[in-house]
Amino acid sequence: MRLFHSTITNMSFTQRVAMTASVGLSTLMLTPISSATGLNFWESSTSNSALASANGASAVDASILAIAPSSMTQLKSTTVTASVTRYQVDTDYNILGTKANYSKANPIPAGFLVIPLESNWYVGLAAYSRTAADISIPETKLGGVIPVLNEARVRPIVVSFAPSIAYKINDVSLGLTLEYQYADYLLERNECNFWGKCSLETTEGNTNGWSGALSATWHANSWLTLAATHRLASDFGDSNIQFDLPSITSVYGTIAITESWSWHNTFSLSRWDGQGVTYADYSDPIQLLKGSRHSKRYATSMEYRVGNLALRGGVSIDEAIDAFGGEDVRYR
């Protein structure tokens, strides 16, 4: 369960997002999580979700392409990982006495392919969501008379199609990623005139842009592996919407406690301050789609393998990017 809670004096805003486990060629699991960190969509696969996306220095499967593509050199054979996430948003509101309940769902597929080539060269292809939101805001009237907020729904989703290449030099691997970003968006808003007559207007469409990433992985010794990824910012849109997505820098470390037991850690910085998603015909009065601050993220996870069975669990702490601030703790 993903939970967003903000408070303005006696105003409370709560968004609960329930997301089922991705089901595919990855290990099946259930991921109850809570979030107030904005638009970053960390859950790129079931294995990455189970490890709180802290496993960038260790390639569990081909979905490592969504975290640290340079680590794909750890895979010794052609590897395919696929999943579909049912992204469901259940939203309950109690704002200035106005109560509302919404439920929206979107399927978000993901697929990853890694192919080892000769002479320590590797290529990979990834398709997954980097950014996603689906937020409904009810009509709110102060004292039941004075309009404060009009009813609206905003749903921007960005899917990345990203080919990567990596080269392994002894214990160091370097990766380069080109990212094509396809954005599908929806805006539903209830427009009311002075006389109180309202009509629901819908704006939807798609747009696209480009980004990229640099990554490196170092197998320091038999028990320690380190990695780092820097994803470039991107800025694209059309006459209806503008996507101004931040750069993200992440560092990873995996400690092999035993041959079967691994400890993963990561620290990420997403530079959201002043960046986000802007609709031309919607002012976003609660500022849910635009960052007021950068977001720092720390995640740690454990993995224990017994034959073909992998037991995984993790926790992450994220700083909220909205004006209300706070921290978000997610357990897997």
Side-chain angles (χ1 to χ4, degrees):
M1 180 169 292
R2 179 172 287 194
L3 175 64
F4 185 136
H5 180 73
S6 302
T7 303
I8 313 174
T9 60
N10 62 348
M11 180 190 301
S12 64
F13 174 82
T14 304
Q15 178 185 19
R16 295 196 301 270
V17 179
M19 183 165 60
T20 65
S22 300
V23 180
L25 302 182
S26 306
T27 304
L28 179 65
M29 67 160 289
L30 182 65
T31 37
I33 55 179
S34 60
S35 172
T37 54
L39 302 172
N40 278 349
F41 194 75
W42 298 100
E43 321 305 322
S44 53
S45 74
T46 53
S47 55
N48 292 344
S49 294
L51 295 170
S53 295
N55 59 303
S58 176
V60 176
D61 54 37
S63 65
I64 193 66
L65 293 170
I67 305 177
S70 57
S71 294
M72 68 173 153
T73 59
Q74 299 170 20
L75 302 173
K76 302 307 179 183
S77 60
T78 298
T79 305
V80 177
T81 301
S83 65
V84 175
T85 297
R86 185 176 187 269
Y87 183 68
Q88 178 176 318
V89 183
D90 297 312
T91 309
D92 296 328
Y93 293 97
N94 186 353
I95 302 178
L96 300 178
T98 299
K99 297 181 180 181
N101 179 274
Y102 299 86
S103 181
K104 308 293 183 183
N106 300 282
I108 301 180
F112 307 91
L113 169 66
V114 171
I115 302 176
L117 303 177
E118 295 181 359
S119 303
N120 296 328
W121 287 96
Y122 288 69
V123 294
L125 180 63
Y128 64 99
S129 179
R130 171 173 166 178
T131 303
D134 194 337
I135 303 171
S136 296
I137 300 175
E139 180 184 16
T140 304
K141 294 183 179 180
L142 183 61
V145 178
I146 303 175
V148 177
L149 294 174
N150 289 327
E151 181 181 356
R153 177 192 176 194
V154 288
R155 191 215 63 197
I157 295 177
V158 178
V159 177
S160 297
F161 299 91
S164 297
I165 187 169
Y167 182 69
K168 186 175 182 180
I169 310 171
N170 297 322
D171 294 327
V172 176
S173 298
L174 303 176
L176 177 64
T177 301
L178 179 65
E179 184 178 5
Y180 170 74
Q181 298 176 332
Y182 176 84
D184 182 86
Y185 61 85
L186 171 71
L187 169 63
E188 295 177 345
R189 62 196 185 283
N190 199 27
E191 295 290 335
C192 301
N193 60 25
F194 179 78
W195 306 106
K197 185 177 181 180
C198 302
S199 61
L200 185 64
E201 297 186 8
T202 300
T203 301
E204 57 185 329
N206 56 75
T207 184
N208 59 81
W210 295 89
S211 184
L214 302 173
S215 56
T217 302
W218 176 37
H219 186 65
N221 50 50
S222 61
W223 58 271
L224 177 64
T225 305
L226 303 173
T229 300
H230 178 71
R231 298 188 179 281
L232 304 177
S234 57
D235 190 351
F236 61 94
D238 56 24
S239 59
N240 297 318
I241 196 170
Q242 190 67 28
F243 289 86
D244 188 8
L245 305 182
S247 62
I248 304 174
T249 302
S250 303
V251 292
Y252 307 91
T254 293
I255 297 175
I257 300 175
T258 67
E259 186 176 346
S260 301
W261 187 11
S262 299
W263 180 25
H264 308 283
N265 293 273
T266 184
F267 175 81
S268 298
L269 174 63
S270 300
R271 298 169 180 83
W272 277 108
D273 189 8
Q275 295 183 260
V277 179
T278 304
Y279 282 87
D281 296 329
Y282 181 64
S283 60
D284 190 12
I286 308 181
Q287 290 294 293
L288 298 175
L289 300 179
K290 193 165 186 178
S292 297
R293 70 198 75 224
H294 295 334
S295 177
K296 293 188 287 292
R297 179 178 194 270
Y298 172 72
T300 184
S301 60
M302 291 283 188
E303 178 180 19
Y304 188 75
R305 294 170 296 280
V306 184
N308 292 326
L309 177 66
L311 305 177
R312 299 166 178 152
V315 60
S316 64
I317 302 176
D318 300 73
E319 288 184 332
I321 67 171
D322 58 81
F324 310 117
E327 291 183 339
D328 159 38
V329 180
R330 309 181 187 187
Y331 300 93
R332 280 83 168 179

